[in-house]
């Protein structure tokens, strides 16, 4: 459960990082006219002021993380259970909370989905997980990932264009002592 919360926080950090902005303010009208550069010339030690038309474009870019967007995802388990989700995706490598995340797809439906592939840089390295959990209690319903391979589980994940797909051994309630169920997942971003 701690890993899922960390993964969810990392995914949220990605979204916040993509939505962050520059809050530096320019010179105010209260400054003496002699200290301000001419309207068509920036001061030697100051960057040129942004044109007002550039700001709305930055807001549009912040609304959707680069290399991602929204889409749908599904998980189908061999026991007959099937789940559908609306997801938000980030498909380009980014650093979040000290770890590189290569790609992620998260849902805030109930139940919720979290698909995350970490990179080789940072505190969490090479880990990949797919978690389905109750959005109200945060109890894990099903989970598969690379760390389950150590106890006999299988796991494969790939990113092809804007589609994350894979398969693995899904453990109920993330319990490694329970019998796993094979499953396939796909997120179309």
């Amino acid at each position: 459960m701690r890993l899922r919360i960390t993964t969810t926080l990392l995914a949220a950090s990605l979204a916040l990082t993509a939505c962050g902005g520059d809050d530096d303010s320019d010179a105010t009208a209260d400054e003496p006219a002699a200290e301000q550069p001419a309207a068509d010339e920036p001061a030697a030690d100051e960057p040129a002021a942004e044109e007002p038309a550039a700001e709305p474009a930055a807001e549009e870019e912040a609304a959707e993380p680069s290399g991602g967007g929204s889409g749908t995802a599904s998980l189908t388990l061999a026991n007959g259970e099937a789940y559908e989700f609306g997801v938000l995706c980030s498909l380009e490598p980014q650093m979040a909370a000290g770890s590189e995340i290569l790609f992620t797809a998260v849902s805030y439906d109930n139940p919720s989905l979290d698909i995350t592939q970490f990179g080789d840089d940072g505190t969490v390295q090479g880990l990949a997980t797919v978690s389905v959990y109750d959005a109200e209690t945060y109890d894990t319903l099903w989970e598969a990932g690379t760390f389950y391979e150590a106890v006999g589980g299988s796991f494969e994940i790939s990113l092809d264009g804007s589609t994350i797909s894979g398969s693995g051994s899904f453990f109920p309630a993330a319990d490694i002592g329970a019998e796993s169920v094979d499953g396939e997942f796909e997120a179309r971003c």
Side-chain angles (χ1 to χ4, degrees):
M1 181 166 153
R2 178 178 289 172
L3 178 60
R4 184 184 64 258
I5 291 171
T6 302
T7 303
T8 302
L9 290 174
L10 288 172
S13 295
L14 284 174
L16 291 175
T17 301
C19 294
D22 186 7
D23 197 25
D24 293 335
S25 58
D26 294 334
T28 63
D30 295 337
E31 293 182 20
E35 293 181 19
Q36 292 186 3
D40 61 343
E41 222 174 81
D45 61 343
E46 291 183 25
E50 290 184 29
E51 293 184 24
E55 196 168 313
E59 288 176 7
E60 289 174 18
E61 182 179 316
E64 192 171 290
S66 73
S70 61
T72 60
S74 62
L75 169 64
T76 305
L77 299 173
N79 68 359
E81 289 185 45
Y83 299 90
E84 296 287 327
F85 308 92
V87 292
L88 299 175
C89 306
S90 181
L91 304 177
E92 293 182 1
Q94 297 184 31
M95 292 298 288
S99 293
E100 177 186 35
I101 296 179
L102 299 179
F103 54 86
T104 187
V106 295
S107 138
Y108 298 104
D109 301 329
N110 195 11
S112 292
L113 173 73
D114 184 323
I115 301 172
T116 302
Q117 171 67 63
F118 288 92
D120 293 330
D121 294 333
T123 54
V124 178
Q125 297 180 358
L127 180 68
T129 62
V130 176
S131 299
V132 177
Y133 60 96
D134 184 301
E136 293 178 13
T137 64
Y138 296 101
D139 290 336
T140 301
L141 303 176
W142 293 99
E143 188 169 68
T146 52
F147 51 84
Y148 290 105
E149 293 172 328
V151 294
S154 64
F155 191 76
E156 292 181 23
I157 189 169
S158 65
L159 173 63
D160 184 10
S162 61
T163 301
I164 302 169
S165 61
S167 61
S169 302
F170 284 81
F171 288 82
D175 181 359
I176 61 173
E179 187 174 334
S180 66
V181 175
D182 290 339
E184 295 182 355
F185 57 91
E186 182 177 68
R188 296 160 302 282
C189 301

